[in-house]
């Protein structure tokens, strides 16, 4: 049995910190510039627009072009490109993806309705008759119709109300059909898009866009994980309990120093054990990486996380990563406050050991028994001269209030001197974020990453 017990192991040396700006702004500017280029493509190919049929058809063409572009963006955002996953942040990219998905479905519906309405007005036919004619008689339309149905199904199952009532596995596998939908619709875009007929430059650019996104998916979602797991041969080394319902899993592998993983980052873990093979779940490292070991700490919140406690040494592990932007690169000053709640302490525990300068950890839990990794945190505080503070429920269950006033009183100079790293349940993180902003902490100095993707 191997553990990462910091009471017996030398602490990792503090990491040198050079604060880096997030590339989120330039990435968003590039994406909007692409949308503008798509509109310019329509404008260059369109002469005068005459009559209701012309306006409806023109609007449908614009919606179709933007939908085609949005499909490529949608897939590209989830290609797990390191620049996005490790610099912008996986949770932020996931929010962009969700927003792009809503735009894509709306543009798709607008394209279908407007084009059919425009064609129906032009042919003086009913909308139903025009729909049957377009689907059955136009080239590539049967495949495009299938792709449309799939995209709408993905959109419906991604709606929050529906997703809450379905399993993660069901949502995940339906979501994978997005690739099939995009593939089915691509031929329709080239065959019927007036902007591409007789326009080799526009056609080549559209192919380059889609082939470029396909290459990103192939490399970062398929080939890179295969290479990682074949090279490092990860296996469960040991499992041990940290607190009621909380277990640490130590993973051993080959050439682990080549992974380039940093404290605060996470992997997506798939344990090749009975009942766990189909699910890939993000868990942060709960200790700095060692030359041959990684450790995660998991709280039993569902079937998959509860099964982690039953893992046996030697179980094969399939991992993807490292991902995440909750790292020392975000810190700009020499004083850092880490605020954790529940199992959200795991990435902050790794940062507590390795961040340079003056570091304080504030740990929110219901009771002392729920303080996972508490002994390690105390040991690290002694080694580095840091502080660990606890916010526990009172004897009658009353919850301590983390307000702007209490935070300012506990941490003098909070608004001026501190970077704040925050990790915990969604509601807790929102409340503390609002308290920090009310206390005068600038948004750019509050660093948070959510795994509620």
């Amino acid at each position: 049995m191997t553990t990462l017990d910091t009471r017996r192991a030398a602490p990792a040396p503090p990491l040198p910190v050079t604060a880096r700006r997030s590339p989120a702004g330039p990435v968003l500017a590039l994406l909007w510039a692409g949308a503008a280029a798509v509109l310019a493509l329509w404008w260059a190919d369109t002469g005068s627009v005459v009559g209701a049929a012309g306006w409806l058809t023109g609007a449908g063409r614009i919606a179709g072009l933007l939908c085609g572009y949005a499909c490529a963006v949608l897939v590209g955002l989830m290609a797990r490109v390191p620049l996005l996953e490790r610099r912008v942040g996986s949770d932020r990219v996931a929010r962009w993806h969700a927003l792009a998905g809503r735009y894509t479905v709306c543009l798709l519906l607008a394209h279908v309705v407007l084009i059919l309405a425009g064609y129906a007005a032009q042919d003086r036919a009913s909308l139903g008759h025009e729909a049957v004619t377009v689907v059955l008689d136009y080239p590539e339309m049967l495949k495009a119709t299938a792709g449309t149905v799939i995209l709408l199904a993905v959109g419906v199952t991604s709606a929050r109300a529906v997703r809450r009532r379905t399993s993660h596995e069901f949502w995940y596998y339906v979501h994978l059909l997005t690739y099939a939908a995009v593939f089915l619709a691509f031929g329709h875009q080239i065959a019927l898009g007036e902007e591409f007929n007789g326009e080799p430059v526009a056609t080549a650019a559209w192919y380059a866009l889609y082939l470029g996104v396909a290459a990103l998916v192939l490399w970062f979602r398929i080939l890179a994980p295969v290479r990682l797991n074949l090279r490092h041969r990860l296996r469960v080394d040991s499992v041990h309990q940290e607190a009621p319902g909380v277990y640490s899993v130590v993973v051993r592998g080959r050439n682990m120093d080549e992974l380039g993983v940093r404290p605060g980052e996470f992997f997506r873990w798939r344990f090749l054990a009975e009942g766990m093979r189909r699910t890939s779940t993000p868990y942060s490292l709960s200790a700095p990486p060692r030359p041959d070991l990684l450790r995660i700490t998991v709280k039993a919140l569902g079937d998959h996380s509860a099964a982690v406690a039953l893992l046996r040494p030697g179980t094969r592990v399939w991992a993807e990563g490292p991902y995440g932007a909750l790292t020392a690169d975000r810190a700009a000053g020499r004083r850092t406050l880490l605020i954790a709640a529940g199992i959200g302490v795991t990435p902050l525990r790794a940062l507590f050991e390795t961040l340079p300068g003056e570091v304080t950890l504030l740990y929110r839990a219901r009771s002392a028994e729920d303080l996972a990794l508490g002994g390690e945190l105390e040991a690290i505080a002694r080694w580095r001269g840091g502080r660990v503070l606890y916010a526990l429920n009172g004897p009658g269950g009353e919850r301590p209030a983390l307000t702007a006033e209490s935070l300012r009183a506990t941490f003098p100079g909070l608004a001026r001197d501190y970077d704040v790293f925050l990790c915990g349940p969604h509601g807790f993180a929102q409340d503390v974020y609002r308290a920090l902003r009310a206390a005068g902490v600038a948004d750019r100095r509050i660093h948070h990453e959510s795994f509620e993707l």
Side-chain angles (χ1 to χ4, degrees):
M1 296 278 287
T2 303
T3 66
L4 296 185
D5 189 344
T6 60
R7 290 166 290 186
R8 293 192 294 268
L15 296 172
V17 173
T18 302
R20 293 190 295 176
R21 292 181 61 86
S22 167
V27 170
L28 285 176
L30 181 63
L31 295 179
W32 282 112
V38 168
L39 291 175
L41 182 63
W42 172 83
W43 182 270
D45 187 69
T46 303
S48 59
V49 180
V50 180
W55 282 105
L56 287 169
T57 303
R61 287 172 57 198
I62 292 174
L65 282 169
L66 288 175
C67 181
Y69 173 72
C71 282
V73 170
L74 199 66
V75 174
L77 287 174
M78 284 292 99
R80 296 179 185 165
V81 179
L83 173 68
L84 301 179
E85 296 285 332
R86 304 182 75 179
R87 295 288 307 282
V88 175
S90 296
D91 60 336
R92 193 172 188 181
V93 173
R95 290 195 295 272
W96 291 355
H97 174 79
L99 184 61
R102 290 191 283 272
Y103 282 139
T104 301
V105 171
C106 291
L107 287 167
L108 175 63
L109 291 172
H111 171 65
V112 171
V113 172
L114 291 169
I115 283 290
L116 289 178
Y119 287 177
Q122 180 179 306
D123 297 340
R124 299 182 184 277
S126 69
L127 203 60
H129 179 270
E130 197 66 36
V132 172
T133 300
V134 168
V135 171
L136 297 181
D137 295 344
Y138 282 49
E140 298 286 340
M141 274 307 303
L142 284 174
K143 291 194 293 184
T145 301
T148 297
V149 171
I150 292 172
L151 275 179
L152 292 177
V154 171
V156 169
T157 56
S158 296
R160 189 169 299 175
V162 176
R163 189 172 174 183
R164 282 199 297 261
R165 292 170 170 79
T166 58
S167 68
H168 174 79
E169 290 78 9
F170 175 80
W171 170 86
Y172 175 77
Y173 288 114
V174 171
H175 221 63
L176 284 181
L177 294 175
T178 301
Y179 298 122
V182 172
F183 174 77
L184 289 168
F186 181 77
H188 153 70
Q189 298 171 43
I190 297 299
L192 296 180
E194 294 184 21
E195 293 76 14
F196 305 117
N197 292 331
E199 298 290 342
V201 174
T203 302
W206 209 250
Y207 268 103
L209 172 66
Y210 273 76
L211 289 175
V213 168
L216 292 177
V217 172
L218 176 63
W219 181 257
F220 291 114
R221 295 210 64 162
I222 299 175
L223 297 180
V226 168
R227 179 182 179 275
L228 182 154
N229 287 280
L230 289 178
R231 177 159 183 76
H232 299 291
R233 302 284 182 176
L234 305 178
R235 291 183 181 273
V236 172
D237 185 84
S238 63
V239 179
H240 49 100
Q241 188 172 17
E242 302 286 0
V246 178
Y247 291 84
S248 282
V249 180
V250 178
V251 176
R252 183 181 294 276
R254 306 173 182 172
N255 308 305
M256 303 284 268
D257 56 319
E258 297 177 7
L259 283 171
V261 60
R262 307 194 68 194
E265 292 183 326
F266 69 92
F267 287 79
R268 288 182 170 88
W269 304 88
R270 188 187 305 272
F271 299 102
L272 305 186
E274 187 67 30
M276 303 182 72
R277 299 172 183 271
R278 297 171 56 191
T279 302
S280 176
T281 306
Y283 295 125
S284 294
L285 298 185
S286 61
R290 307 299 187 195
D292 59 342
L293 298 174
L294 301 175
R295 188 186 73 177
I296 59 174
T297 302
V298 180
K299 184 176 179 62
L301 299 173
D303 293 342
H304 184 272
S305 54
V308 166
L310 305 177
L311 287 171
R312 296 184 176 183
T315 301
R316 289 291 305 275
V317 181
W318 185 273
E320 298 177 40
Y323 302 124
L326 198 68
T327 63
D329 289 339
R330 290 197 175 187
R334 301 299 299 176
R335 303 179 78 184
T336 306
L337 171 61
L338 310 175
I339 304 179
I343 201 61
V345 74
T346 53
L348 302 191
R349 180 257 178 258
L351 288 170
F352 188 46
E353 183 174 336
T354 55
L355 276 171
E358 180 184 325
V359 185
T360 301
L361 173 64
L362 174 60
Y363 191 175
R364 167 78 182 98
R366 286 192 298 269
S367 66
E369 290 74 23
D370 295 315
L371 294 171
L373 310 174
E376 294 183 11
L377 296 173
E378 294 287 352
I380 294 168
R382 289 193 296 271
W383 282 331
R384 65 170 300 150
R387 290 193 298 163
V388 182
L389 306 177
Y390 301 104
L392 306 178
N393 289 359
E398 58 273 12
R399 296 165 59 91
L402 298 181
T403 63
E405 292 74 20
S406 66
L407 290 170
R408 274 198 299 256
T410 307
F411 307 103
L414 176 64
R416 181 184 64 253
D417 300 332
Y418 282 85
D419 278 281
V420 183
F421 288 75
L422 174 62
C423 193
H426 182 66
F428 167 84
Q430 282 191 321
D431 291 343
V432 174
Y433 174 81
R434 286 193 287 265
L436 289 167
R437 295 292 287 127
V441 182
D443 182 72
R444 70 179 184 278
R445 303 191 79 165
I446 303 173
H447 315 299
H448 171 246
E449 195 159 50
S450 169
F451 295 109
E452 296 184 4
L453 307 181

